[in-house]
């Protein structure tokens, strides 16, 4: 058993020994191979070193080629982009020509406007393409310049290629210097911009103010004035797009000039439809030469037209300016354009208004000046809003200056009216028949008209404004009512002095009292129960003027009739019949002569124009003369001369005729009145139609004819 195990071990040992021999042999062979490989590697290394030394110049050349390739690519890329921009511009030019050729055939306004939008879009695209070419051309030239310089310096390529590249650079420079500018300023784009300018002007011309003439009746303060849009949404959009396109192409000045010129013309023509020929007369000298009726009409038209221009024409024009030009230059240009449009027109209106204020200060102008002032006051806030901002400073300043001129002119006219009355004392003599002088009639109606609500408020504002200017803004002016009241009282006092002076110029003893009675009665009756009486006070007028009229009536009776009545006074002593008859005859003859003379003077020289005053004077005279005459006849009834005398009722009839006795049916309205000479404190009859009616206008009044 052990023998078998030993044999197996021996066999294994022999096998292992054989394997070791084989391994050793293999190692020997591998070592031999490694030696051969070392030799081969040494040879390969020597070869690589030789090869490396050979290809080193080629590596440097490859790196230079790579750098050159990068430089060329940097130059070619902008050039390729520039080429694409040129192609785009060329295609857009062809498209623009095509659209332009079809534009004249578009007669329908709506379709034409839509086509114009396409036209503007194409112009904008072409402009952008040319802008792109302009931006890209210079960098492309610079890159090519760098490449040409690099190749010339490094000689990285042959001279033929370098020369071709240099020729290309020269051509591109020439193209940049000539063709690009030509594309913008001389080519199809320029023609398109000219065409857009024409279309812009044409559309602006078509935007007209409508129904201007019909709106002259809507210019009062409370009326709603129709302010319509001048253009449709499409028209506004086209104008806006064209304006923006022109502005982007350095045509902003042209765009503004066209807009201002056309819209000024349109606004002016709209107002010319109102036939404002009066505006051609504007110097103070020319205005002074105008007939008052013509000047009055001209001022009324000026007020209407001025308000219409501000509230309709300029509001519409301002809105159009904002719609079309608001986005140009960050919105700072449109307001200036609007003011340029309005300035020339407003200058014409201001010029006329200033001429009126600087013309002669005739009394009748006061009411038209106040109308002008009131109109400006109503427009003040709207005017400031329309012409707001820095652009409207000058025109608002001129508006305020016109208001100042109106304040000065109105107050000066009124004060000079009082001075004219005061200075009229040496003018023409008083009325020969003792009637109311024209100056008094004019002045009273003038003041009554001024006291109406239409003018008293404006006059008060004028007087208050002038007082503040004189006394300073910190002063405390009187109330409006007191200002007008004091001003009117000054005129009334001047009128009283004028009346008193004229009264002294009569040589006849009776006429001064008839004149005074007529005049002061006229003043009282024309002012009582009126707005002027409310302002001055009814009791004041009654005490001031009615009392004077009553006193004058009493003095008239005393001078005209009492001396005649005294001729019939009885003698205190008893006389014999013969002397008594002779004395009675003498008294009757003296009475009748004086009575007839007095009647004749009343017929030819005395005048009491007021019917109610005349009737009361008649009754008072009848009550004074007829009873005394009847009593004298009764006392001397036995006298033969008395029987041939006129009967008392005949005397009354003669008095009735000389005083223009009113029919009995009309006398009834006087029967309930207290008579002047019976009760001087009462006479509350209503004002006559003449006194209560409003004056429709004033005529020119020469101071030397008042």
């Amino acid at each position: 058993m052990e023998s078998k195990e030993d044999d197996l071990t021996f066999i294994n040992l022999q096998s292992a020994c054989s394997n070791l021999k084989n391994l050793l042999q293999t190692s020997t062979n591998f070592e031999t191979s490694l030696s051969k490989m070392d030799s081969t590697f040494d040879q390969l290394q020597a070869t690589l070193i030789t090869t490396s030394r050979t290809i080193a110049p080629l590596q440097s050349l490859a790196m230079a080629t790579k750098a050159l390739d990068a430089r060329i690519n940097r130059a070619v890329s902008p050039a390729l982009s520039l080429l694409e921009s040129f192609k785009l511009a060329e295609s857009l030019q062809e498209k623009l020509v095509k659209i332009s050729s079809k534009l004249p055939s578009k007669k329908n306004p709506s379709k034409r406007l839509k086509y114009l939008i396409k036209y503007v879009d194409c112009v904008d695209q072409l402009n952008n393409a040319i802008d792109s070419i302009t931006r890209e051309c210079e960098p492309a030239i610079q890159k090519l310049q760098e490449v040409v310089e690099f190749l010339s310096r490094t000689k990285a390529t042959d001279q033929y290629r370098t020369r071709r590249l240099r020729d290309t650079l020269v051509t591109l420079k020439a193209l940049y210097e000539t063709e690009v500018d030509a594309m913008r300023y001389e080519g199809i784009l320029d023609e398109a911009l000219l065409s857009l300018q024409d279309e812009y002007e044409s559309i602006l011309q078509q935007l007209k103010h409508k129904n201007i003439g019909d709106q002259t009746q809507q210019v009062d303060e409370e009326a709603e004035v129709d302010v319509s849009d001048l253009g449709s949404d499409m028209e506004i959009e086209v104008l806006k797009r064209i304006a923006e396109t022109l502005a982007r192409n350095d045509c902003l000045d042209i765009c503004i000039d066209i807009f201002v010129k056309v819209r000024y013309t349109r606004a002016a023509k709209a107002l010319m439809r109102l036939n404002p020929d009066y505006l051609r007369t504007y110097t103070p000298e020319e205005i002074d030469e105008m007939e008052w009726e013509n000047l009055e009409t001209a001022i009324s038209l000026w007020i209407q037209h001025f308000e219409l221009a501000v509230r309709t024409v300029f509001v519409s024009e301002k809105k159009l300016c904002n719609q079309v030009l608001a986005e140009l230059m960050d919105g700072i240009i449109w307001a200036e354009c609007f003011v340029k449009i309005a300035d020339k027109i407003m200058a014409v209106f201001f010029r006329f208004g200033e001429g009126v204020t600087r013309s002669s200060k005739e009394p009748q102008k006061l009411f038209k000046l106040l109308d002008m002032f009131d109109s400006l006051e109503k427009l003040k806030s709207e005017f400031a809003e329309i012409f707001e901002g820095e652009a409207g400073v000058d025109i608002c300043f001129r508006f305020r200056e016109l208001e100042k001129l109106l304040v000065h002119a109105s107050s000066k006219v009124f004060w000079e009216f009082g001075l004219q009355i005061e200075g009229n004392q040496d003018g023409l003599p008083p009325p020969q028949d003792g009637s109311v002088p024209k100056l008094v009639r004019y002045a009273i109606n003038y003041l009554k008209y001024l006291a109406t609500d239409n003018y008293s408020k404006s006059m008060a504002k004028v007087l208050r404004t002038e007082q503040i200017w004189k006394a300073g803004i910190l002063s405390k002016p009187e109330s409006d009512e007191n200002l007008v009241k004091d001003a009117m009282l000054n005129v009334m006092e001047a009128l009283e002095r004028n009346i008193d002076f004229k009264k002294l110029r009569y040589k006849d003893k009776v006429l001064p009292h008839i004149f005074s009675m007529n005049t002061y009665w006229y003043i009282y009756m024309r002012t009582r129960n009126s707005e002027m009486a409310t302002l001055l006070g009814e009791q004041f007028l009654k005490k001031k003027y009615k009392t004077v009229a009553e006193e004058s009536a009493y003095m008239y009776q005393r001078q005209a009739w009492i001396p005649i009545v005294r001729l019939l006074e009885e003698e205190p002593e008893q006389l014999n019949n013969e002397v008594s008859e002779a004395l009675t005859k003498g008294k009757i003859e003296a009475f009748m002569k004086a009575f007839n003379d007095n009647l004749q003077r009343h017929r030819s020289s005395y005048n009491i124009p007021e019917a109610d005053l005349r009737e009361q004077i008649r009754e008072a005279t009848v009550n004074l003369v007829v009873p005394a005459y009847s009593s004298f006849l009764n006392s001397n009834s036995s006298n033969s001369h008395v029987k041939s005398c006129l009967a008392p009722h005949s005397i009354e009839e003669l008095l009735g005729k000389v005083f223009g006795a009113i029919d009995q049916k009309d006398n009834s309205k006087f029967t309930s009145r207290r008579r002047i000479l019976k009760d001087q404190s009462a006479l509350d009859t209503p004002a006559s139609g003449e006194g209560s009616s409003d004056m429709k206008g004033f005529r020119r009044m020469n101071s030397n004819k008042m």
Side-chain angles (χ1 to χ4, degrees), residues 534-635:
T534 303
L535 187 64
L536 300 181
E538 290 281 359
Q539 290 302 317
F540 170 81
L541 293 175
K542 188 174 183 180
K543 181 179 179 181
K544 186 79 172 175
Y545 301 111
K546 183 186 176 188
T547 301
V548 177
E550 291 170 344
E551 292 173 353
S552 299
Y554 173 77
M555 293 303 298
Y556 156 75
Q557 292 283 23
R558 184 172 179 176
Q559 290 291 335
W561 298 106
I562 290 179
I564 297 175
V565 172
R566 284 177 178 171
L567 294 174
L568 300 176
E569 289 180 352
E570 297 292 338
E571 294 295 331
E573 299 179 0
Q574 294 292 332
L575 302 174
N576 58 47
N577 291 338
E578 184 177 349
V579 175
S580 177
E581 286 187 8
L583 188 59
T584 301
K585 178 182 177 182
K587 287 185 177 182
I588 291 176
E589 289 177 353
F591 172 81
M592 292 307 300
K593 183 178 183 305
F595 182 76
N596 288 327
D597 289 345
N598 210 7
L599 291 181
Q600 182 59 33
R601 282 195 296 272
H602 276 76
R603 293 189 188 99
S604 61
S605 302
Y606 303 160
N607 183 21
I608 304 176
E610 293 287 339
D612 56 346
L613 176 61
R614 189 168 61 248
E615 172 63 14
Q616 293 180 71
I617 294 297
R618 184 193 69 80
E619 285 193 21
T621 304
V622 167
N623 291 336
L624 175 66
V625 175
V626 173
Y629 181 73
S630 297
S631 176
F632 179 81
L633 293 182
N634 291 333
S635 298

Side-chain angles (χ1 to χ4, degrees), residues 431 434-437 440-441 444 495-496 499-500 506 512-526 545 548-549 552 609-610 613:
S435 59
V436 182
V440 174
R441 296 177 183 274
I444 294 303
L495 191 62
E496 290 173 39
I499 294 169
D500 292 341
Y506 285 109
H513 306 300
I514 293 178
F515 171 75
S516 179
M517 175 182 66
N518 281 332
T519 303
Y520 284 108
W521 185 256
Y522 176 89
I523 292 175
Y524 174 67
M525 293 301 292
R526 293 304 182 275
Y545 301 111
V548 177
S552 299
E610 293 287 339
L613 176 61

Side-chain angles (χ1 to χ4, degrees), residues 17 53 68 119 143 229 239 272 284 286 306 308 333 366 378 388 424 428 444 465 476 479 507 523 568 655:
C17 181
R53 291 173 180 173
L68 179 62
Y119 190 73
K143 296 298 182 182
D229 292 338
L239 288 171
M272 286 300 292
E286 291 174 330
F306 188 90
L308 184 66
I333 197 68
L366 175 62
K378 291 176 181 177
E388 62 184 347
N424 185 249
L428 294 178
I444 294 303
T465 302
K476 295 182 179 179
S479 65
K507 296 180 180 180
I523 292 175
L568 300 176
L655 288 172

Side-chain angles (χ1 to χ4, degrees), residues 296 300 303 365-372 374 446-462 484 488 531 695-696 698:
E296 188 177 27
S300 298
I303 293 170
K365 287 183 180 177
L366 175 62
F367 302 102
K368 302 315 293 182
L369 289 171
L370 291 177
D371 286 339
M372 294 171 70
D374 186 57
Y446 189 93
L447 295 177
K448 281 182 63 181
Y449 202 46
L450 184 61
T452 60
D453 288 339
N454 291 337
Y455 292 107
S456 60
K457 293 179 181 178
S458 298
M459 191 70 217
K461 188 174 292 186
V462 165
V484 178
M488 285 190 172
E531 291 163 309
M695 294 195 311
K696 302 302 182 183
F698 291 95

Side-chain angles (χ1 to χ4, degrees), residues 120-145:
V120 174
D121 287 338
C122 190
V123 172
D124 289 340
Q125 292 172 9
L126 177 58
N127 182 59
N128 292 334
I130 294 175
D131 286 343
S132 178
I133 291 172
T134 304
R135 289 193 306 270
E136 295 172 357
C137 200
E138 191 170 353
I141 291 173
Q142 185 177 356
K143 296 298 182 182
L144 285 176
Q145 180 73 37

Side-chain angles (χ1 to χ4, degrees), residues 139 152 208 241 266 282 321 330 338 363 455 535 546 625 661:
S152 298
K208 301 178 182 179
R241 290 289 304 278
R266 272 295 160 210
Y282 56 87
C321 284
D330 298 327
F338 165 64
Y455 292 107
L535 187 64
K546 183 186 176 188
V625 175

Side-chain angles (χ1 to χ4, degrees), residues 339-464:
V339 171
K340 286 181 180 179
I341 294 168
D343 185 61
K344 293 181 181 179
I345 298 174
M346 290 306 303
V348 176
F349 281 105
F350 287 141
R351 186 176 63 183
F352 178 84
E354 291 163 0
V356 171
T357 61
R358 293 190 173 103
S359 62
S360 62
K361 303 301 183 287
E362 295 174 310
Q364 72 276 6
K365 287 183 180 177
L366 175 62
F367 302 102
K368 302 315 293 182
L369 289 171
L370 291 177
D371 286 339
M372 294 171 70
F373 176 75
D374 186 57
S375 174
L376 294 190
E377 281 292 297
K378 291 176 181 177
L379 281 175
K380 184 184 290 185
S381 59
E382 294 177 63
F383 196 91
E385 182 179 352
I386 293 171
F387 295 99
E388 62 184 347
E390 185 177 353
V393 168
D394 290 341
I395 202 167
C396 287
F397 173 78
R398 196 161 181 186
F399 181 90
R400 291 192 298 272
E401 286 300 305
L402 179 56
E403 268 202 310
K404 290 181 181 178
L405 289 173
L406 286 168
V407 169
H408 286 306
S410 299
S411 59
K412 189 172 183 180
V413 166
F414 187 70
W415 297 126
E416 285 193 3
F417 177 56
L419 294 176
Q420 283 180 318
I421 294 173
E422 190 88 38
N424 185 249
Q425 295 176 0
D426 297 328
L428 294 178
Q432 295 180 0
D433 58 0
S435 59
V436 182
K438 292 181 179 179
L439 172 60
V440 174
R441 296 177 183 274
Y442 185 92
I444 294 303
N445 285 320
Y446 189 93
L447 295 177
K448 281 182 63 181
Y449 202 46
L450 184 61
T452 60
D453 288 339
N454 291 337
Y455 292 107
S456 60
K457 293 179 181 178
S458 298
M459 191 70 217
K461 188 174 292 186
V462 165
L463 295 173
R464 184 176 66 252

